[in-house]
Amino acid sequence: LDGNTYTDHTCMMGNPLYSDEVGKMCYNAAKNWQLDWYGGRGTQSQHKQLIDPFQTLTSTVELVGIGEYDKITANRYVVIKLETGTSTDIFIGFNRAAGPNAQNDEADDEVTITESGNNGEGYSQSYLKAHLVAGETYTY
């Protein structure tokens, strides 16, 4: 949340695990959008949803954490990309502390909001902007 490099401890890339003995941790929503997993690299798929607030004013979606990816059904997503109209976009995910993400280091079972450049389609530093529990909001 401080905007510094390697401080997003919801993501394996944020360097949160200082041990060779642990490591059940996944990537943040921005990296999950970029990766070729969940239906294609940087593209919308059955597990990734693109929302353009300039086209659709309100949306309701159901998120599934990486730790329970095997339980995904129709209209449930691993990651949501909010298009900003610039190359820097917002990515939303549910940081479920289960399965391959059981040793997550920050924001267990919370919605995470991450910002990243390059339209989420190639390498770019990502930044944790917020993590939310039920009833909390975030304004970009």
Side-chain angles (χ1 to χ4, degrees), residues 17-85:
L17 302 173
Y18 302 103
S19 170
D20 292 332
E21 306 303 316
V22 295
K24 286 182 142 186
M25 187 169 189
C26 296
Y27 298 106
N28 66 25
K31 300 304 180 200
N32 282 324
W33 184 272
Q34 177 189 348
L35 292 169
D36 200 14
W37 305 336
Y38 318 112
R41 183 173 192 212
T43 60
Q44 183 171 312
S45 73
Q46 69 183 52
H47 307 303
K48 298 176 175 178
Q49 179 67 35
L50 171 67
I51 297 174
D52 185 343
F54 301 106
Q55 303 282 327
T56 306
L57 296 179
T58 61
S59 295
T60 301
V61 297
E62 188 171 341
L63 293 168
V64 175
I66 299 299
E68 296 179 323
Y69 173 73
D70 60 334
K71 297 179 181 168
I72 288 181
T73 58
N75 300 315
R76 299 174 82 194
Y77 305 100
V78 170
V79 58
I80 305 296
K81 175 184 175 182
L82 292 180
E83 180 60 56
T84 64

Side-chain angles (χ1 to χ4, degrees), residues 5 32 61-62 67 83 99 122 124 127-128 138:
T5 304
N32 282 324
V61 297
E62 188 171 341
E83 180 60 56
S124 180
Y127 299 95
L128 179 65
Y138 174 78

